[in-house]
Structure formats: C-alpha cells, structure tokens
C-alpha cells in the first residue's frame, strides 16, 4: 500500500501567494487605504484557512462497510463508503484515496474528490467482483484534506479490508488415473511398489549396491557371510503431485483463470487421494511441500487456505522441481502426477516411459487455450495415450470433476 506524508506542502501555490502579497503591499504603500485593507485580508486568509482545515480534520467522519467478510470465488462484495462533516463551517476540498487490488492487480477503484457540505452525508457504493482466488485488499488508503489556497494539505491514515478468496473444492468420486499410470493402493487394491520394513520377506546374500542398513548382523555371525533382509512391497506406495507453476509475465484474466484451474485440479486430487488413505505429497516451485499420511481434515483445510499464496512465477519445469526435491523426501516419490497448463514434451515422454511400471501420469489444463491451440493439444494427448501414457486433459475449471472421472 502506498504511503502518504501526514502534511504536504506545495511550494508553487506558496510562491504565487507571496508574489500576490508583495504586489498588494506595494499597492497599499502607494495607492492608499483600499489596498491596505486588501493586503490585511489577504495576509490573514491563510490563518483562517488553516483554522477551518483543522476543524474539518477534527469533525470529519467516515464509515466503511462490506456486504460479506468471507466472499467465495465467483461472488461479489458491495463496498459502501460514507463520509460526513459534523460542522456548519465550510471546508476545503477532500480527496478520498481508494485502494482495490488483487495479487497486485488494480481493481479499478478511482479516487473521489468532494466538497463536503455542513451536516450532509455522502455515500458511495462499489461492487467488487471476486472471480479469482487470491488476496483482495479493498478500502481507504488515506483521506486528504486541503486548505482553500491549496498550498497545505493533511493526509489522514485510514484502513482497508483484506479478503482471502480460496479456490473451489471439486469432489471426485473416482478417477481412472488411479488405475492407469499411478501405482497407488485405493480401497480394494493389494499391490504396491515401495518397501515396507515392517513386512520382512526373506534373506539373500549381500551384493554391492544393497543398503547396509538392511544387513542382518546376527545371520552374518551364523552364516559367515553378510546377508541382507528383503521386504514385501507396501500396499500404500503413495503419490506425489507436482504442480507446474511456470507463469506468464503479463497477468490478465486469462492467465488468472488458467492458474486457478490448475490449483483447483490439485486441490481436488489431494482431497481424493488423501481421503482414500493414500500417502499424498504436493510439490511445486515456490510451494511449501505438503505431505498427507492419509486422511486429515485439519491438514487439508490448512493446505486449502495456503493455496491463495501459490504464485505462478517459476521458470523451472516440474521435472526439474521433482529432481531437486526428491533428495529431501525420505519415503521416495512413489508414483508421480504432474499437473501442468503446458503441452510439455518432457512430461509426455516421462509418462510414456513409465507406462509399464510405477512412474508418471499427467493432467493437462487446457482452460486458457484458444480453439486451434486446444485442438493441437488434444491430438497430442490422444497420441500419448495411444502409446500407453497416462494423460488426462481438463477443458475448463467447470469440467474438472467430469474430465478427471472419465
């Protein structure tokens, strides 16, 4: 929010006032009583202006109200600003500086200039649309009260309301992704691919490359050679969702729509897998990693609220993000699910290579593409699927549930 000085002095009007005062002084000295009177009035006028301005500052009242404190995505908030001056004395001009931003974008609230009449209430209404997730700041930045001569003004600090608009939560009742490219255990499945150290299977002679921590030292003493323990695969290998946060430097409604759609896809998938008891990890450049061991409603609420702080400003591909963060994940990545708004050849190649084993799937967000670009992307997705890759296309934010369920 821009800061304003409490007192502002304009040197141009002061210089003009001094020049006129000098002319009146010389005229009074040579032309007689009339100009003496005018000189005296002009000399006292700034003092009277300052006095009236201070009275206006003391008696000026304002009130702000909002039709909703917690707007949802797509809703509107009616902002009402009322201003009154509880005095009979006249006052100078008043400027109401309004602030209206969403993630740094201007919402189009213009400043208001008025001359408040005595004991009269002025009311202004603005409708604030909340079509996108994010942090909205709406209200008064400051109130500027000017003197009659315009060479002195006072800025009163004011306040603005901050709204957090969260993405929608789309319910998924099923998704073929869990059956195609993701080796995760949903209710009724018994397979898995990650070692579970609680499920001892057998012993085998130690070979170079085996983990030392799996050596059975008691059997070493009995056999005379090192033996390592092997384990069964866990039925909960988990899934790692990697969000593509590469952005467009020129932010407009189209790019915001695309970003929101990708975030809502991730939220829907996290809710679906975590409620099914699948270990779910969320990664992305500039995103705090979230790890769900299973269903945890409170953790999901924290994750959902945190999505207002996801900014699409990265220059790293999701594959690079995954590689950089894998070394910090003690349990491994499990199956990987990329959520991207680009037809990235590297992601598609990874999905094709992983078709026959635990590996990668992708959800491609096509919501911001034009008709021709969307047709090309759909042909690419179909080609990857024909080659065995697990890829799903989402056409728009309104069809997330339908597109991920078929």
């Amino acid at each position: 929010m821009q800061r304003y000085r409490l007192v502002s002095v304009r040197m141009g009007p002061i210089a003009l006032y001094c020049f006129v005062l000098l002319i009146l002084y010389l005229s009074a000295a040579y032309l007689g009583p009339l100009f003496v009177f005018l000189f005296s009035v002009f000399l006292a006028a700034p003092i009277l202006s300052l006095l009236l301005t201070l009275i206006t500052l003391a008696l000026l009242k304002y009130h702000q109200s909002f039709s909703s404190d917690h707007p949802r995505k797509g809703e509107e908030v009616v902002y009402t600003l009322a201003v009154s001056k509880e005095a009979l004395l006249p006052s100078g001009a008043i400027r109401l500086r309004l602030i209206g931003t969403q993630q740094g974008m201007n919402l189009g609230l213009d400043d208001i200039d008025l001359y408040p009449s005595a004991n009269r209430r002025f009311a202004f209404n603005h409708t604030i649309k909340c079509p996108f997730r994010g942090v909205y700041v709406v209200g008064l930045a400051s109130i500027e009260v000017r003197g009659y001569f315009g060479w002195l003004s006072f800025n009163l600090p004011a306040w603005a309301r901050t709204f957090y608009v969260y993405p929608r939560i789309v319910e998924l009742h099923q998704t073929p992704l869990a059956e195609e490219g993701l080796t995760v255990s949903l209710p009724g499945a018994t397979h898995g691919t990650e070692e579970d150290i609680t499920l001892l299977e057998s012993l085998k002679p130690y070979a170079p490359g085996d983990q030392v921590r799996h050596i059975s030292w008691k059997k070493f003493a009995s056999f005379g050679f090192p033996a390592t323990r092997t384990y069964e695969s866990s039925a909960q290998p988990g899934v790692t969702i990697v969000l593509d946060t590469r952005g467009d430097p020129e932010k407009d409604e189209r790019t915001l729509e695309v970003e929101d759609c990708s975030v809502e896809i991730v939220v829907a998938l996290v809710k679906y897998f975590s409620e099914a008891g699948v270990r779910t990890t969320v990664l992305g450049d500039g995103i705090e990693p979230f790890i769900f061991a299973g269903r945890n409603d409170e953790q999901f609420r924290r994750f959902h609220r945190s999505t207002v702080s996801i900014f699409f400003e990265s220059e790293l591909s999701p594959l690079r993000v995954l590689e950089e963060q894998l070394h910090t994940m003690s349990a491994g990545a499990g199956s990987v699910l990329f959520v991207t708004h680009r037809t990235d050849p590297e992601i598609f190649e990874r999905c094709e290579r992983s078709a026959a084993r635990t590996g990668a799937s992708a959800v491609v967000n096509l919501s911001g593409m034009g008709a021709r670009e969307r047709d090309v992307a759909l042909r690419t997705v179909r080609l990857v699927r024909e080659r065995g890759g697990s890829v799903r296309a989402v056409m728009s934010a309104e069809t997330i549930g339908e597109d991920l369920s078929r």
Side-chain angles (χ1 to χ4, degrees), residues 91-157:
S91 65
I94 292 178
R95 168 166 290 185
L96 306 175
R97 290 193 175 95
L98 301 181
I99 180 172
T101 62
Q102 185 262 325
Q103 307 291 90
M105 293 183 61
N106 192 349
L107 297 179
L109 296 184
D110 296 326
D111 294 346
I112 301 173
D113 293 306
L114 71 152
Y115 289 85
S117 304
N119 293 322
R120 180 182 172 186
R121 183 177 182 270
F122 295 83
F124 306 92
N125 292 321
H126 296 276
T127 299
I128 308 299
K129 297 181 179 180
C130 303
F132 308 109
R133 70 179 174 89
V135 181
Y136 291 72
V137 180
V138 179
L140 270 175
S142 71
I143 301 176
E144 180 185 7
V145 180
R146 302 175 186 171
Y148 284 99
F149 288 88
W151 51 265
L152 187 66
S153 62
F154 296 85
N155 289 292
L156 295 177

Side-chain angles (χ1 to χ4, degrees), residues 77-97:
V77 177
V78 178
Y79 166 53
T80 301
L81 171 62
V83 180
S84 63
K85 190 189 69 168
E86 301 175 353
L88 296 176
L89 298 173
S91 65
I94 292 178
R95 168 166 290 185
L96 306 175
R97 290 193 175 95

Side-chain angles (χ1 to χ4, degrees), residues 27-93:
S27 299
Y30 292 99
L31 300 177
L34 176 61
F35 288 95
V36 172
F37 173 76
L38 292 176
F39 172 78
S40 302
V41 171
F42 204 67
L43 183 63
I47 300 176
L48 179 61
S49 173
L50 177 60
L51 179 61
L52 293 176
T53 302
L54 294 176
I55 292 175
T56 299
L57 287 170
L59 300 179
L60 186 67
K61 307 294 182 184
Y62 74 93
H63 175 73
Q64 300 181 91
S65 62
F66 301 86
S67 61
S68 174
D69 291 332
H70 303 285
R72 297 180 180 179
K73 181 183 172 183
E75 293 183 344
E76 295 180 346
V77 177
V78 178
Y79 166 53
T80 301
L81 171 62
V83 180
S84 63
K85 190 189 69 168
E86 301 175 353
L88 296 176
L89 298 173
S91 65

Side-chain angles (χ1 to χ4, degrees), residues 3 51 84 132 196 205 240 275 286 314 316 370 373 383 392 399:
R3 295 182 178 274
L51 179 61
S84 63
F132 308 109
D196 188 336
T240 296
E275 289 187 350
S314 174
L316 297 179
E373 186 181 6
L383 180 61
R392 276 288 184 274
T399 63

